[in-house]
Amino acid sequence: SLDFTKLNGYYVSPLVIIEDGNVEEVPLTDPRARGYRTRIETDAAINWINTRPKDRPWMATVSYSAAHTPWQPPPSDLIPGHDGTVVDTLDCKATGAGRVIQNRMTEALDTEFGRLLVETGLATRGTDGQLVYEPAASNTVIVIVGDNGTLAAAVKQPFEASQAKGTTYQTGVWAPLIIAGPQVVEPGRQVEHMLNMVDLFQLFGELAGVDVHKEVPRTVDSVSVLPYLTNPQQGSLRTVNFAMAGLNYQAFGGSNGPCVIS
């Protein structure tokens, strides 16, 4: 018999909906908790953005679970170029399989993020199906960022698995950052200067016309980002970056280390 209460990573997972102060724990038997997680998260973001008042600014933080473990192959229709006729014969226990699966999960996330942009009116589809994004067509800034370095089993050359996520080496603390929007002069360029994730806090303040160093009643270790977007010749504004590794504090005195695979 089928067990509709059994967890299955990205396909059957706990779902908690918090709205207007109300907390709803969706049971695993509910269709809302069943389906590929990246699709569920994209649908939630689209629904929320499309219900915002047209005359008020909004900010949406879309925190995707992918491509975090557990590594599971995504639905094939979310992988670009898949025509539905290819049978996946990937050996999930083979060396390097985790990297392949993570790449596919990232491709599926990219596909769904494109759908988010189209269904919220921030982009369109061309006649060939490709995403058409015109930054000047809206006043919305898009920031794509990772939360940490790469998991050891998915590290690619020339980086070392022993210096990956969970360490303070570059592979452990280096994260992707893409910023798009009408403020960006000469889109497509790469800024080589140092940034820290806390700098995004100041960026959102800059976009809203708020001086966070004046408004926040404590020290904020953030440096301006907007000049990098508006001035391609902008020099480095940050001279120091600080990173440390430690344990996460949990309820009732518990703690755990970073999620890594030894």
Side-chain angles (χ1 to χ4, degrees):
S1 62
L2 297 176
D3 183 0
F4 286 98
T5 64
K6 187 175 182 179
L7 292 167
N8 183 14
Y10 277 81
Y11 291 89
V12 183
S13 52
L15 179 63
V16 178
I17 300 174
I18 304 174
E19 189 171 7
D20 298 329
N22 299 316
V23 180
E24 178 186 7
E25 296 185 16
V26 180
L28 298 180
T29 53
D30 191 309
R32 291 175 296 170
R34 309 180 69 83
Y36 190 57
R37 190 77 185 192
T38 302
R39 276 191 173 127
I40 292 174
E41 291 159 351
T42 301
D43 287 340
I46 292 170
N47 292 337
W48 187 87
I49 293 172
N50 284 341
T51 56
R52 294 308 91 198
K54 300 300 182 183
D55 59 344
R56 294 184 60 189
W58 54 267
M59 176 178 174
T61 300
V62 187
S63 300
Y64 281 105
S65 303
H68 203 282
T69 54
W71 281 329
Q72 289 179 298
S76 58
D77 63 330
L78 295 184
I79 302 175
H82 185 85
D83 60 5
T85 63
V86 178
V87 177
D88 195 340
T89 57
L90 177 66
D91 181 359
C92 292
K93 295 182 180 180
T95 302
R99 182 187 302 166
V100 174
I101 296 174
Q102 177 171 282
N103 286 347
R104 293 181 183 179
M105 294 174 74
T106 303
E107 287 183 302
L109 186 156
D110 185 67
T111 298
E112 282 295 270
F113 184 71
R115 181 169 70 89
L116 186 156
L117 295 182
V118 171
E119 295 192 15
T120 56
L122 295 176
T124 59
R125 292 283 180 191
T127 55
D128 58 354
Q130 294 296 308
L131 194 71
V132 178
Y133 169 65
E134 298 291 345
S138 75
N139 63 352
T140 303
V141 175
I142 300 171
V143 178
I144 302 174
V145 64
D147 62 342
N148 48 246
T150 304
L151 200 62
V155 165
K156 302 174 183 178
Q157 293 182 342
F159 299 106
E160 296 287 339
S162 62
Q163 300 174 357
K165 180 181 177 181
T167 76
T168 52
Y169 287 99
Q170 179 170 294
T171 326
V173 299
W174 214 15
L177 171 63
I178 302 171
I179 302 177
Q183 294 87 349
V184 179
V185 176
E186 296 182 13
R189 57 188 167 88
Q190 187 166 308
V191 176
E192 299 288 350
H193 304 310
M194 283 196 301
L195 282 157
N196 193 291
M197 206 60 64
V198 297
D199 298 342
L200 292 182
F201 181 62
Q202 179 153 334
L203 171 63
F204 296 132
E206 292 171 320
L207 295 173
V210 175
D211 185 338
V212 298
H213 291 277
K214 289 184 178 180
E215 297 296 332
V216 178
R218 57 184 177 278
T219 300
V220 178
D221 181 27
S222 61
V223 175
S224 185
V225 176
L226 192 59
Y228 293 132
L229 309 184
T230 58
N231 179 14
Q233 283 72 49
Q234 176 64 51
S236 178
L237 297 173
R238 176 178 282 278
T239 58
V240 175
N241 250 332
F242 176 79
M244 63 182 293
L247 299 177
N248 299 315
Y249 293 106
Q250 299 174 311
F252 309 111
S255 65
N256 72 320
C259 178
V260 297
I261 297 177
S262 61

